[in-house]
Amino acid sequence: VTAETMRNLRQHGLTVDNILDKTSDEELNELIRKVGFHNMKTKYIRETTERLREVHGSRVPDTMDALCALPGVGPKMALIVLRVAHGIVAGIAVDTHVHRISNQLGWAPQTKTPEQTRAALESWIPRDLWEDINLIIVGLGQEIQTEQPKLLAKCLASSDPRRALDLVTTLGMNLAKVHAKHGAALQEASGLPAAAPETA
């Protein structure tokens, strides 16, 4: 949904001038209507483009403080923007997937907020790995939530299926349930003989 929405915005013309001078709130809302909280995000986009023009000369800021001062931008998004727009890796972007999975794996034990999780992860993960952590864990989290058969097939086809299955079990996947529902498709996707995966 997000990728499709971004394509729509880019095709429309995702510039400060185009959004402020040529795009009504109704049209902007329609362009992003498939994403959650689109009404609030329409307001944030409008307010942010105004601030970009007035304060930053229509340029995207290149500091955490300046980015977090924009409406609707928190630390996670600021870190992603710094990396993508400016090539600056200033920290680990932590969303709900990264927060949950880091706690489940014991990487950030008992943290209550994404910002606490970010501080915990940054305290021990080498800085040269920070750039990749978000993409890897978010991808894994999305597959656990929405593409369990695909993820289970990857585990079964991996170089160490037992450890891969242990990992997804630790992250809350019910192997027996997924196998019962998608067994034939899993067997075909993994190339392995039909047999229910062990859960011990």
Side-chain angles (χ1 to χ4, degrees):
V1 171
T2 303
E4 179 185 347
T5 299
M6 287 307 302
R7 274 192 301 275
N8 290 342
L9 284 168
R10 284 191 191 106
Q11 287 173 356
H12 173 74
L14 188 55
T15 66
V16 169
D17 290 341
N18 194 46
I19 296 298
L20 288 179
D21 301 334
K22 300 176 183 174
T23 308
S24 68
D25 286 349
E26 294 76 21
E27 186 177 10
L28 182 56
N29 197 19
E30 182 61 25
L31 286 165
I32 67 169
R33 78 183 185 304
K34 291 185 179 179
V35 299
F37 308 106
H38 59 90
N39 291 327
M40 184 59 69
K41 289 177 182 175
T42 295
K43 179 180 173 211
Y44 287 155
I45 291 169
R46 175 73 59 204
E47 291 173 357
T48 293
T49 52
E50 288 170 357
R51 188 169 178 102
L52 289 175
R53 179 185 276 172
E54 293 168 8
V55 178
H56 300 286
S58 296
R59 307 285 300 168
V60 176
D62 62 358
T63 67
M64 279 286 287
D65 288 342
L67 287 165
C68 287
L70 297 172
V73 177
K76 176 198 76 170
M77 188 52 60
L79 288 165
I80 291 171
V81 169
L82 285 174
R83 182 177 54 80
V84 173
H86 299 291
I88 298 169
V89 179
I92 298 172
V94 177
D95 67 354
T96 56
H97 293 296
V98 176
H99 174 63
R100 178 177 46 81
I101 289 173
S102 295
N103 274 267
Q104 289 172 314
L105 293 175
W107 291 0
Q110 300 171 344
T111 57
K112 303 291 184 210
T113 67
E115 275 302 284
Q116 290 174 350
T117 298
R118 178 168 75 97
L121 293 175
E122 290 174 358
S123 74
W124 67 269
I125 294 177
R127 192 175 183 95
D128 62 328
L129 299 178
W130 289 4
E131 181 174 3
D132 301 320
I133 294 294
N134 178 272
L135 290 174
I136 292 168
I137 296 179
V138 168
L140 176 61
Q142 289 172 341
E143 284 194 353
I144 286 172
Q145 287 189 331
T146 63
E147 299 185 29
Q148 290 188 355
K150 179 179 170 183
L151 182 57
L152 187 50
K154 288 179 184 178
C155 291
L156 294 172
S158 76
S159 61
D160 192 341
R162 165 57 46 217
R163 290 184 74 188
L165 292 172
D166 286 347
L167 172 64
V168 295
T169 301
T170 299
L171 298 177
M173 184 185 290
N174 183 327
L175 299 178
K177 184 177 177 182
V178 175
H179 187 269
K181 188 172 181 181
H182 304 281
L186 289 170
Q187 179 187 354
E188 184 178 318
S190 68
L192 296 176
E198 298 174 21
T199 57

